[in-house]
Amino acid sequence: MNRSTKRISSFVIAITFLILACGLGQPENNTEQLTNLVMTSVAQTVTAFPTSTPAPTNTPLPIPTEIVPTIQITTIPTFVFPTSTSVDSTRTDYVCDIIDQKPFDDTSFRPGDSFDIKWTIVNTGTQKWEEDTYLEYQDGPQMTDETQIKLTKLKPGGQYDVVLDATAPSESGMQVMVWAVIGPGTIKDSIYWMCYPYVRIIVE
């Protein structure tokens, strides 16, 4: 109970006793008249007391500013390949795609963890692959012991599964290892660079 309320209560009690005292010598005053006198006195007293609560205004309340959390974005490493190895997006004869990749992007590992890499490579071109078609390591941390795998003569629409044993590098953060499907021939003399299988993991 605040100070203003206490003052009002004390004043009401005093008024009530005063009215009751006056009414003791006048039995003809009934209860309804006595109640009306008390309520009128209370109303006048409340109006007379100053209030500490400011009167409401039509001023709009300030709208709280929404706090947007800061998100740290890790930049994916950029790998630059020789100009001659760029895949021509308009070519349809010797091209490929990856329809299944494990581990999934941004899977977490600890330094030195062992894991399997799996790529399902599809010949999406119009030509059968030549004798010397290879999957070769190109860039990024080398997570496998093997760096070159000879692929079969895939017909258009044919698939080939590649499974490699890998080890997470010791450096923490995002790690990307890039390979390439090339042929015929090795990286030094191949004519077609068909697609780029890769692995992207997070080392904790």
Side-chain angles (χ1 to χ4, degrees), residues 131-194:
E131 175 71 28
D132 295 327
T133 301
Y134 295 90
L135 172 66
E136 290 191 352
Y137 164 79
Q138 299 299 313
D139 208 340
Q142 187 174 327
M143 307 180 198
T144 61
D145 292 334
E146 296 184 70
T147 57
Q148 184 186 82
I149 298 173
K150 187 173 183 178
L151 302 178
T152 61
K153 297 180 180 181
L154 286 183
K155 296 180 180 179
Q159 301 180 11
Y160 186 79
D161 290 335
V162 176
V163 179
L164 298 170
D165 293 327
T167 303
S170 58
E171 184 178 354
S172 62
M174 180 180 291
Q175 306 295 331
V176 182
M177 178 178 64
V178 183
W179 289 52
V181 175
I182 58 178
T186 63
I187 189 173
K188 296 179 180 180
D189 56 3
S190 60
I191 300 175
Y192 305 110
W193 291 66
M194 306 180 196

Side-chain angles (χ1 to χ4, degrees), residues 92-106:
T92 59
D93 49 1
Y94 290 96
V95 289
C96 63
D97 197 6
I98 310 301
I99 62 171
D100 187 20
Q101 171 188 313
K102 293 180 181 178
F104 299 116
D105 286 349
D106 302 330

Side-chain angles (χ1 to χ4, degrees), residues 4 7 35 37 48 53 64 87-88 92 99 113 134 140 144 146 170 185 191:
S4 297
R7 293 174 61 186
T35 303
L37 284 173
T53 305
V87 175
D88 184 356
T92 59
I99 62 171
D113 278 354
Y134 295 90
T144 61
E146 296 184 70
S170 58
I191 300 175

Side-chain angles (χ1 to χ4, degrees), residues 66-78:
E66 182 180 359
I67 300 176
V68 180
T70 302
I71 301 176
Q72 296 182 349
I73 300 176
T74 303
T75 303
I76 300 176
T78 301

Side-chain angles (χ1 to χ4, degrees), residues 8 41-51:
I8 294 171
S41 299
V42 171
Q44 292 173 350
T45 304
V46 172
T47 303
F49 275 116
T51 175

